[in-house]
């Protein structure tokens, strides 16, 4: 047959081959299929802490499908008072291990409830890990919330830097309230495939971490 309106014919073909139904501006995706588009967030992993020593995510990196990754930290609380929440990048896919090296970091912060003020910091280098947030309290109302954007190293020597920007808001162990933004870099030719989140002392009592992939292009599967 011939199509007088090319766009209408294309939509009809998608409707028949891939989608369950299309009515007006509403599209229903057929069972067993997903509809993704460039820039869309696709949930890849999620876990809720219950007095865990660490929250580890392995093998979520897919360089052909996602350009980078969004990590959401939802009301994380340590079992011990006044500790740091730390992280390490991981490699090796499903059989992952922590990546060693110098994790460099800088950032800025502001207190929002009194006159403690604000500041910036840089050249914060730590071997084999870096800090997501410090002075994290375990009392009532003391929890960490925030997000990170992860751009993992690919294993290509020309793309050997893993970068992660992350911010968080919290009531600290001294009951002050602070917003902080950090940028972390790790120069390493090892491809990053996972993420390890843990407390500097004790366990992670509660809270949830979710990981989303940011799709590269439109893809009907």
């Amino acid at each position: 047959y011939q199509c007088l309106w090319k766009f209408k014919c294309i939509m009809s073909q998608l409707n028949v081959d891939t989608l369950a139904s299309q009515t007006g501006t509403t599209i229903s995706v057929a069972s067993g299929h997903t509809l993704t588009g460039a820039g869309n967030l696709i949930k890849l992993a999620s876990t809720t802490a219950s007095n865990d020593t660490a929250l580890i995510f392995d093998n979520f990196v897919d360089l052909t499908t996602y350009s980078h990754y969004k990590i959401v930290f939802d009301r994380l609380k340590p079992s011990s008072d006044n500790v740091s929440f730390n992280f390490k990048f991981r490699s090796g896919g499903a059989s992952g291990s922590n990546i060693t090296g110098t994790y460099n970091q800088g950032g800025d912060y502001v207190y929002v409830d009194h006159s403690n003020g604000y500041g910036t910091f840089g050249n914060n280098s730590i071997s084999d890990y870096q800090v997501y947030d410090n002075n994290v309290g375990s009392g009532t109302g003391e929890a960490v919330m925030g997000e990170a954007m992860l751009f993992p190293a690919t294993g290509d020597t020309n793309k050997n830097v893993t970068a992660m920007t992350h911010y968080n808001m919290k009531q600290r162990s001294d009951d002050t309230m602070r917003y902080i933004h950090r940028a972390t870099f790790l120069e390493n030719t090892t491809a990053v495939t996972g993420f390890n989140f843990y407390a500097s002392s004790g366990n992670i009592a509660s809270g949830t971490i979710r990981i989303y992939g940011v799709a590269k292009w439109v893809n009907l599967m």
Side-chain angles (χ1 to χ4, degrees):
Y1 63 92
Q2 292 183 337
C3 294
L4 297 179
W5 299 98
K6 184 176 180 181
F7 178 74
K8 183 176 180 180
C9 290
I10 292 174
M11 291 305 296
S12 296
Q13 184 175 350
L14 288 174
N15 185 46
V16 171
D17 294 344
T18 307
L19 306 177
S21 63
Q22 177 188 346
T23 304
T25 58
T26 300
I27 294 177
S28 175
V29 180
S31 176
H33 297 274
T34 58
L35 177 63
T36 66
N40 282 354
L41 296 179
I42 311 301
K43 186 177 179 180
L44 304 177
S46 176
T47 190
T48 298
S50 180
N51 204 36
D52 295 298
T53 56
L55 300 180
I56 295 176
F57 301 85
D58 276 326
N59 211 30
F60 65 83
V61 174
D62 180 353
L63 299 175
T64 61
T65 304
Y66 306 109
S67 61
H68 58 288
Y69 302 86
K70 180 176 181 177
I71 307 175
V72 178
F73 305 87
D74 187 2
R75 300 187 182 277
L76 292 158
K77 184 187 293 288
S79 61
S80 301
D81 194 43
N82 194 20
V83 301
S84 294
F85 276 141
N86 302 329
F87 65 89
K88 301 178 181 183
F89 303 128
R90 289 171 63 82
S91 64
S95 301
S97 60
N98 297 323
I99 298 178
T100 60
T102 300
Y103 288 65
N104 297 288
Q105 188 180 93
D108 54 81
Y109 61 90
V110 60
Y111 288 90
V112 298
D113 61 338
H114 55 71
S115 59
N116 272 3
Y118 60 90
T120 61
F121 62 94
N123 196 28
N124 178 5
S125 300
I126 306 177
S127 295
D128 303 335
Y129 78 97
Q130 194 46 268
V131 175
Y132 176 73
D133 203 3
N134 56 348
N135 303 116
V136 182
S138 59
T140 301
E142 296 176 342
V144 173
M145 299 154 284
E147 294 183 351
M149 300 301 287
L150 171 64
F151 299 82
T154 65
D156 182 340
T157 55
N158 295 318
K159 302 175 183 178
N160 62 354
V161 174
T162 294
M164 190 171 86
T165 62
H166 39 115
Y167 76 87
N168 61 274
M169 305 155 286
K170 73 154 185 271
Q171 183 172 338
R172 290 156 46 98
S173 58
D174 59 3
D175 289 332
T176 59
M177 297 179 184
R178 185 183 72 183
Y179 169 89
I180 189 166
H181 179 268
R182 306 171 190 253
T184 299
F185 294 87
L186 172 66
E187 187 174 6
N188 196 305
T189 56
T190 301
V192 171
T193 58
F195 183 74
N196 179 0
F197 187 87
Y198 63 100
S200 60
S201 178
N203 295 335
I204 305 172
S206 59
T208 300
I209 296 179
R210 302 178 183 90
I211 297 182
Y212 300 85
V214 181
K216 281 186 176 181
W217 52 67
V218 174
N219 182 25
L220 290 172
M221 296 182 291

